[in-house]
Amino acid sequence: MSLSSHIEELRKKHQTLSERVEEAQRAPGTSTLEIAELKKQKLKIKQEIERLSESA
C-alpha cells in the first residue's frame, strides 16, 4: 500500500468516526464515555494523518 493510499484510508476512517460521533451525540442513550472514546480514536487518526503527511 502506498503512503498516499494509506493516508486516504485514514481519512475515510476519520470521516466515519466523525459521523459516528454526531450520531452518538444525537442519540439520547449514548454515554459521554462512549462519545469521548470515539473522539479519542478520531484524534489519534488525525494525528497519524498529519504525521504521515509531513513525511510525504
Side-chain angles (χ1 to χ4, degrees), residues 3-52:
L3 182 60
S4 60
S5 62
H6 182 59
I7 291 172
E8 188 57 37
E9 279 299 311
L10 289 173
R11 286 189 175 129
K12 288 178 186 176
K13 287 181 182 180
H14 186 268
Q15 180 60 38
T16 300
L17 281 171
S18 291
E19 292 167 4
R20 287 180 60 196
V21 167
E22 288 178 27
E23 288 173 13
Q25 288 175 330
R26 287 193 298 262
T30 309
S31 71
T32 55
L33 186 62
E34 185 177 342
I35 293 170
E37 184 58 37
L38 290 171
K39 287 183 176 182
K40 189 190 302 185
Q41 290 174 24
K42 190 176 150 190
L43 178 61
K44 283 183 181 180
I45 291 173
K46 182 180 178 183
Q47 290 171 336
E48 181 71 5
I49 291 169
E50 289 172 357
R51 187 182 68 77
L52 291 173

